[in-house]
Amino acid sequence: MKRHIVLSVIFLMTILGITGKTFAQGGMFATATGNTSFSSVTPMENIFAENKKTQVLLNTATSEIAIRMTMRDFVFPNKLMQEHFNENYMESAKFPTGTFSGKLDQTIDFTKDGSYDASATGSFTVHGVAKTRTIKGKLKIEGSKVTIISDFEVPLTDHKIEVPSIVFVKIAQSIKVKSEYVLSPYKK
């Protein structure tokens, strides 16, 4: 598990182009237990899934952020839904992760406690399709913790996720995504 976290942080650092020099300057916050959930609500069926293993790395010196989640870590209330999600829609064997790599759009003073409206713009990749997205949310600084909360929608067509016609009325064409990431200072 510890090796997995270290490898994930190295992966996130590579995405952001973070070097040892940047690390020495401080300002790195991370989590490997971020919460990402999604829902699909239709008159026929409501679907909900949650991933409590989302990895996030925030460089407060440069305002860069990287988020990575393994698709198979989404847990559904029903094992059959989880199987269909991974095999039929997300094709998790072929596209195992979803990522966001970008930069905060606002200048935030991370030395002051408070709650801020924030957004980040960058590359959002799901199902192997990268799209430039601006994701809005809240950023809360409290002591040595940074909490990031967002709520946004992902249209299935944007990421070439096909829904068979037989279940088309059971799956929303735009999926609601919610996230809450509580980050702590990164320690090697």
Side-chain angles (χ1 to χ4, degrees):
M1 173 72 174
K2 194 172 188 179
R3 182 174 184 264
H4 174 72
I5 291 170
V6 169
L7 291 174
S8 296
V9 169
I10 290 170
F11 170 79
L12 292 172
M13 289 171 61
T14 303
I15 288 175
L16 293 176
I18 296 169
T19 64
K21 182 179 178 185
T22 305
F23 249 67
Q25 294 170 359
M28 302 298 293
F29 288 79
T31 187
T33 57
N35 187 315
T36 304
S37 64
F38 72 81
S39 61
S40 163
V41 178
T42 68
M44 296 292 290
E45 186 170 23
N46 295 335
I47 300 168
F48 177 82
E50 186 173 36
N51 181 333
K52 294 182 179 182
K53 297 178 182 178
T54 303
Q55 302 150 353
V56 183
L57 185 63
L58 172 66
N59 181 336
T60 60
T62 64
S63 295
E64 292 172 296
I65 185 167
I67 301 168
R68 180 181 185 267
M69 67 198 72
T70 301
M71 291 297 134
R72 290 195 183 276
D73 287 337
F74 278 98
V75 177
F76 291 72
N78 173 318
K79 291 291 182 193
L80 186 59
M81 282 182 182
Q82 192 161 331
E83 184 180 316
H84 287 169
F85 170 80
N86 285 303
E87 292 178 11
N88 302 338
Y89 306 117
M90 296 309 296
E91 301 176 274
S92 297
K94 187 175 180 182
F95 308 110
T97 60
T99 62
F100 177 82
S101 177
K103 192 168 184 173
L104 295 175
D105 297 321
Q106 298 77 19
T107 301
I108 306 278
D109 184 350
F110 288 94
T111 64
K112 294 183 181 177
D113 285 0
S115 184
Y116 307 91
D117 289 327
S119 62
T121 300
S123 180
F124 179 69
T125 304
V126 173
H127 196 244
V129 179
K131 293 281 186 181
T132 299
R133 294 281 309 258
T134 296
I135 298 174
K136 297 178 181 180
K138 293 271 187 198
L139 195 142
K140 182 179 173 186
I141 302 164
E142 190 170 29
S144 64
K145 303 273 188 202
V146 176
T147 302
I148 301 168
I149 299 170
S150 65
D151 189 349
F152 60 98
E153 292 195 13
V154 178
L156 298 179
T157 56
D158 281 3
H159 296 278
K160 299 182 182 175
I161 300 169
E162 296 179 11
V163 177
S165 58
I166 196 164
V167 293
F168 193 78
V169 295
K170 292 184 175 185
I171 298 174
Q173 295 307 297
S174 190
I175 304 300
K176 295 179 192 295
V177 179
K178 293 184 179 199
S179 64
E180 183 169 351
Y181 309 134
V182 180
L183 313 179
S184 299
Y186 177 76
K187 296 175 185 162
K188 275 187 171 180

